[in-house]
């Protein structure tokens, strides 16, 4: 089992920045891909960034490319999501997720078996 705990959410004005953290514990060696998703009220959960644990290769949704950066600190078993130039449409609950899949780029929501509880991000105009 892998436990994931997100932190770092909050309220910020448009143009501001936030950094989310996802601390993993438990059997973390099984996780090969880590991802960040977000879900706004009434919307589908959207995959926004994924990182390969072994290669640190990263993949982004077009909606956040150039503004968000996913990174990892293996010594701390922590994945981060640096969010810059935030927009009101970035307002959502943000979730961290882990997958045992070997190929990270094409993973979808159902490929992630472990999820955090989520952290709220609110961006005001």
């Amino acid at each position: 089992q892998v436990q994931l705990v997100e932190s770092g959410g909050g309220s910020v004005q448009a143009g501001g920045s936030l950094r989310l953290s996802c601390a993993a514990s438990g059997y973390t060696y099984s996780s090969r891909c880590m991802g960040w998703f977000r879900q706004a009220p009434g919307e589908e959960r959207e995959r926004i960034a994924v990182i390969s644990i072994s290669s640190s290769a990263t993949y982004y949704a077009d909606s956040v490319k150039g503004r968000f950066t996913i990174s990892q600190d293996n010594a701390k078993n922590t994945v981060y999501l640096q969010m810059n130039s935030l927009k009101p449409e970035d307002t959502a609950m943000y979730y961290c997720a882990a997958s045992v899949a070997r190929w990270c780029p094409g993973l979808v929501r159902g490929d992630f078996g472990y999820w955090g509880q989520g952290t709220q991000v609110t961006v005001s105009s």
Side-chain angles (χ1 to χ4, degrees), residues 60-69 82 84-85:
Y60 298 94
D62 288 342
S63 58
V64 306
K65 198 173 295 183
R67 301 187 298 123
F68 291 11
T69 302
Q82 178 67 44
N84 298 328
S85 302

Side-chain angles (χ1 to χ4, degrees), residues 9-87:
S11 297
V12 65
Q13 289 192 327
S17 298
L18 283 174
R19 189 177 80 156
L20 306 183
S21 298
C22 172
S25 61
Y27 192 58
T28 58
Y29 298 105
S30 65
S31 301
R32 298 186 177 94
C33 307
M34 297 291 293
W36 284 98
F37 288 71
R38 67 184 181 187
Q39 188 169 18
E43 302 285 335
E44 294 288 320
R45 190 168 296 190
E46 174 190 18
R47 191 194 88 166
I48 56 174
V50 174
I51 186 167
S52 167
I53 299 301
S54 60
S55 70
S56 294
T58 57
Y59 312 93
Y60 298 94
D62 288 342
S63 58
V64 306
K65 198 173 295 183
R67 301 187 298 123
F68 291 11
T69 302
I70 187 171
S71 62
Q72 61 179 338
D73 184 333
N74 289 338
K76 296 181 179 180
N77 285 332
T78 300
V79 173
Y80 304 97
L81 185 68
Q82 178 67 44
M83 305 186 295
N84 298 328
S85 302
L86 282 162
K87 306 174 181 180

